[in-house]
Amino acid sequence: MGRLRSILGCINSTTAATTSPSSPHLAVLRATRHRPTTTPPTPDSISALLIFGLSSRPVAAACVSSLLSRLTSSSSASVSLKSLLSLHHLLRRGSFILLDQISAATSPSRRNLLNLSSFRDASSAESWVLSDWVRWYARLVETLVSSSKTLGFFISSTSVRDSDVADRVTSMLTCDVLTETESLVGIVEEVGNSPEMEIVGENELVAEVVRMAEEDREVAEAEILIRLEEVKERLGFMSFGDSVELGGLLKRLESLPVRSDRKGFRAGRLVGEIKAAMGGRGGGGERRLVRRDRGIQSARFESRRVGSGQPVRFGSARFGLIE
């Protein structure tokens, strides 16, 4: 009899640990429950996930692992959307530990990081439509994660109103400014590739997904604007290789998807000004051909070795010349 009580006590203890509010697995299940199918995770359920980022690293890792497992193992379109939305909230509001665990859990060597490119939920007509949204949203989240590895931060967690952003960009090599711009353009392009919007008005879950994506698009466009303004200042000192790369980025910006329910790209006029300044000569102004190898990364400086009284030309025209 005593042995039976002991066994039952162990079972109860294990069950309590599994269903405890402090369990990452349970918190993930609550945020991504099957019903109702058309409403997003509640603010309380998202807050419960964020709390795990304030604990130890193993706890944060368990939370991320459970969420990714839920995402990749579910065959329900609504559950998958809720899982992606929860992950998006972690990218935007998560602590450093949570963001670090997300980065560690996603491989930079694979394009289909979340393995949802072939997702299909054929259980109903509505689920079939939602499957398009799952595949698109997964690509967007993948783009946000991969861009963070280039930018050094998650786009959702930064504020472009911070004056330090412009100062940081000013101090960067031109090739690095263009690389970051390309990563940001990828985010704007992916947001613009969302499925047909008819379902948004009747599905709160999809409407919340669209709201989050549009906010990221606005932040990405503001970040692009800062970098284009800096690039415009450097046109007279830009290498041929950088000019070619810039020309490709400008074409991508001009061909961004446009919808009647969305404002146009805010830097459209600046793109036109830069193209006009380049004048079809691969960069505009006087150019010097510079090899893009490890020895020379940019044409920011007139000379790498400076002697007495030798002028140094910075990549940004804001600095002019220093004698």
Side-chain angles (χ1 to χ4, degrees), residues 298-318:
S298 173
R300 292 183 73 228
F301 298 99
E302 186 73 7
S303 174
R304 293 285 176 175
R305 301 180 63 181
V306 183
S308 176
Q310 187 176 6
V312 178
R313 184 180 298 277
F314 287 86
S316 176
R318 295 192 181 99

Side-chain angles (χ1 to χ4, degrees), residues 142-162:
E142 289 168 354
T143 302
L144 292 172
V145 172
S146 61
S147 67
S148 72
K149 302 179 188 299
T150 299
L151 298 169
F153 58 84
F154 285 91
I155 188 67
S156 300
S157 64
T158 185
S159 171
V160 296
R161 290 186 295 271
D162 191 343

Side-chain angles (χ1 to χ4, degrees), residues 89 92 206-216:
H89 275 290
R92 177 173 294 189
V206 175
E208 179 65 8
V209 167
V210 171
R211 184 189 68 81
M212 294 277 286
E214 285 297 319
E215 288 179 356
D216 285 349

Side-chain angles (χ1 to χ4, degrees), residues 101-118:
Q101 292 305 310
I102 293 173
S103 295
T106 53
S107 170
S109 62
R110 294 186 295 120
R111 169 60 181 162
N112 187 23
L113 301 178
L114 301 179
N115 197 30
L116 293 175
S117 61
S118 59

Side-chain angles (χ1 to χ4, degrees), residues 235-256:
L235 286 177
F237 320 110
M238 190 174 292
S239 71
F240 179 76
D242 287 338
S243 298
V244 172
E245 186 174 351
L246 174 60
L249 284 174
L250 295 178
K251 289 182 179 179
R252 289 173 62 184
L253 289 171
E254 286 183 319
S255 61
L256 288 175

Side-chain angles (χ1 to χ4, degrees), residues 10-307:
C10 291
I11 293 176
N12 291 334
S13 298
T14 303
T15 303
T18 304
T19 59
S20 167
S22 62
S23 165
H25 179 66
L26 179 59
V28 168
L29 291 179
R30 287 176 174 173
T32 62
R33 61 186 66 188
H34 284 265
R35 302 290 179 181
T37 61
T38 61
T39 58
T42 65
D44 288 343
S45 64
I46 296 297
S47 296
L49 295 176
L50 292 169
I51 287 175
F52 294 113
L54 306 178
S55 186
S56 64
R57 191 172 295 272
V59 172
C63 176
V64 172
S65 176
S66 181
L67 181 56
L68 292 178
S69 176
R70 177 70 161 169
L71 173 62
T72 57
S73 63
S74 177
S75 59
S76 167
S78 62
V79 170
S80 296
L81 275 180
K82 291 178 182 180
S83 300
L84 287 167
L85 189 56
S86 299
L87 181 58
H88 198 169
H89 275 290
L90 296 190
L91 295 180
R92 177 173 294 189
R93 300 158 53 194
S95 66
F96 170 80
I97 294 178
L98 272 177
L99 297 180
D100 185 55
Q101 292 305 310
I102 293 173
S103 295
T106 53
S107 170
S109 62
R110 294 186 295 120
R111 169 60 181 162
N112 187 23
L113 301 178
L114 301 179
N115 197 30
L116 293 175
S117 61
S118 59
F119 181 88
R120 296 288 189 283
D121 181 357
S123 60
S124 68
E126 181 185 19
S127 297
W128 185 260
V129 173
L130 286 178
S131 296
D132 286 339
W133 284 90
V134 171
R135 294 191 296 273
W136 165 77
Y137 199 20
R139 292 196 304 270
L140 175 58
V141 172
E142 289 168 354
T143 302
L144 292 172
V145 172
S146 61
S147 67
S148 72
K149 302 179 188 299
T150 299
L151 298 169
F153 58 84
F154 285 91
I155 188 67
S156 300
S157 64
T158 185
S159 171
V160 296
R161 290 186 295 271
D162 191 343
S163 60
D164 291 341
V165 176
D167 292 340
R168 170 182 170 274
V169 172
T170 299
S171 66
M172 293 169 57
L173 295 173
T174 301
C175 58
D176 293 332
V177 175
L178 294 175
T179 298
E180 289 194 354
T181 305
E182 181 179 15
S183 184
L184 292 162
V185 171
I187 295 174
V188 178
E189 289 175 331
E190 198 58 68
V191 173
N193 290 328
S194 62
E196 294 300 324
M197 308 289 284
E198 285 79 1
I199 193 177
V200 175
E202 43 192 66
N203 190 306
E204 294 180 19
L205 175 57
V206 175
E208 179 65 8
V209 167
V210 171
R211 184 189 68 81
M212 294 277 286
E214 285 297 319
E215 288 179 356
D216 285 349
R217 178 186 63 85
E218 291 179 1
V219 174
E221 287 187 0
E223 291 273 2
I224 291 171
L225 182 59
I226 291 175
R227 287 158 179 78
L228 288 182
E229 288 174 341
E230 178 61 28
V231 166
K232 183 180 178 182
E233 297 291 334
R234 303 186 186 194
L235 286 177
F237 320 110
M238 190 174 292
S239 71
F240 179 76
D242 287 338
S243 298
V244 172
E245 186 174 351
L246 174 60
L249 284 174
L250 295 178
K251 289 182 179 179
R252 289 173 62 184
L253 289 171
E254 286 183 319
S255 61
L256 288 175
V258 178
R259 287 184 171 170
S260 58
D261 59 340
R262 177 183 296 155
K263 295 180 179 179
F265 181 50
R266 67 174 67 181
R269 173 182 290 184
L270 183 57
V271 170
E273 292 175 355
I274 294 176
K275 286 194 67 175
M278 293 174 70
R281 290 175 292 179
E286 296 183 1
R287 297 286 180 266
R288 292 182 296 106
L289 302 185
V290 180
R291 274 186 73 189
R292 296 291 298 276
D293 55 24
R294 294 187 179 184
I296 300 177
Q297 293 296 324
S298 173
R300 292 183 73 228
F301 298 99
E302 186 73 7
S303 174
R304 293 285 176 175
R305 301 180 63 181
V306 183

